[in-house]
Amino acid sequence: MNEETYLPKIEVNEQLNSLSQVVDWGLLQSNVPETWKITQGEGITVLVIDTGFPDHIDIGDNAIRGKNFIPNEPLEDENGHQSHCVGIICAKNNGVGMVGVAPKTKVICVKALSKAGGGSYKGLGDALDYAIEIKPDIVSMSLGGSSPSSFLHNKIKKLYEMNIPVVCAAGNTGEGGVNWPAAFDETIAVAAHDKFGNVANFSSRGEKVEWAAPGVSIYSTFLNNSYASLNGTSMACPFLVGVIALMLSKHKKQEKTENKNDCKTVAQIREHLLKYTKDKGEIGKDNNWGYGIIDVEKLIKGEHPEPKPEPKPEPKPEPKPEPKPEPKPEPKPEPKPEPEPKAPKKKSSVILIGFAIIAAIIAAITAYNSKEPEFDFDKKYENEIKK
C-alpha cells in the first residue's frame, strides 16, 4: 500500500506581478464581494495542511505560523502551492494584488508536504493530530494519496465528531477516481470547474464528489510576493473553504445577536450548503459535479438579507399658528370736563391793564398826528375862477 501523500498535479499558467487588486472570476460569478457587507470571515480560523507558511505581503498577518512536519526544511513555503491556496482563502482586501474569498479569516499554516510537493501519511497524521489539539473551525487539504488509510481515517473521524469540517481536493486524475482523504465519507470532496460552466477535464470524478468550485485559471498569491494563475482541484478546495468560512462567521454573529446557531455540526454545514446549491450536470447528484455549485450570495444573504436602511421619517408639516383673536377696542375714556380757568392773580391783572392803557394812548397820538387837513376841491376851483 502506498502511504505517500502528494500534491495533485497542477499547471502554472503564468506568473506575474499585479499593480492593482484583481477580483478573480470565481468571486465575480458567485457575487462574493456582495456578501462582504455581511461578513468577511472574521472570527474564523482555518488550518491548512500543505507546503508551508506563505510569506506574502498580500496575505500578511492573516497567515499564522503553525507546525512543520517535514524534516530538514524550514516552515516557509518553498514550493508556492500553499501560498496560492492561502491567498484564495484569505488574501486581504487591501486594493493591491488580489483578494481572497474570506479576506478577514485567519489561516494557521502547517507544513506536511516538502518543497518538492511530497509527504507521508505519517506526517499528514501528525498534522491532523495538531488540528485535533488546537481545534480550528475548518481544516483544508489540497493534497491526496492513491490508497485509503485507517490511520488517517480515524483522525478525520475524530475531527468530524468535534464538529470540524475537513475539506479536500478531489484530485486531478480525471476518470481515475477521487483520491484519499477526499474519498472518506467524513470529508467534503471538491471538484473543479472553469469560468464557462464546465467541469475541468483533469478534475477527478466519482460518487464521493460533493460540490464543484472554481479551479481553472485561478489567480492568487505565489512565491516572492508574486502572483500566479494555476489550474487544479487544489484551487477549488480553498475556494469552498472560504465560502464555508463566510457561512460560519455569519452564524457566529447570529448566535451573539439572536442566540441562535443551527450551523455547528458537519451535517448542518452540509445541509446549509445543499440548501443553497445550484444543480449542475445530470439532475441530482452526479459523479462530475456532485450536488452542483454553491450560490454564495444566497447562502450568506438568503436567510438574513442585508438590512435596509430605515426610511427617513417624512417631515411633519409645521402646525399652522392659531388665529389670534382680534383685539377688542378699548373703550375710549370719557373726556374729563375742562377745569374752569382760574382767576388770574391780581398782580398780573394790574400789569395787563397798565399795558392796555399805554397802548391806547399811543394809538390815539398816532391817529392824531397822521390826520391830514380836510381839502375842498370845489372851493379851490371857485377861488381859481374868481381870480
Side-chain angles (χ1 to χ4, degrees), residues 222-249:
F222 206 60
L223 296 175
N224 302 318
N225 285 321
S226 68
Y227 301 84
S229 177
L230 273 63
N231 299 335
T233 56
S234 287
M235 288 65 252
C237 172
F239 187 96
L240 185 59
V241 167
V243 170
I244 294 173
L246 293 176
M247 179 177 71
L248 294 182
S249 175

Side-chain angles (χ1 to χ4, degrees), residues 32-88:
V32 170
E34 276 298 307
T35 70
W36 295 338
K37 298 174 183 178
I38 296 173
T39 174
Q40 295 187 47
E42 51 269 41
I44 300 300
T45 302
V46 177
L47 188 143
V48 175
I49 302 171
D50 211 296
T51 57
F53 178 80
D55 185 8
H56 198 290
I57 193 171
D58 209 4
I59 297 172
D61 60 3
N62 279 353
I64 299 169
R65 297 176 73 87
K67 283 192 174 181
N68 181 6
F69 298 102
I70 298 296
N72 306 316
E73 285 192 11
L75 175 62
E76 280 72 22
D77 181 17
E78 298 177 306
N79 176 280
H81 190 266
Q82 187 154 352
S83 296
H84 202 268
C85 292
V86 173
I88 292 169

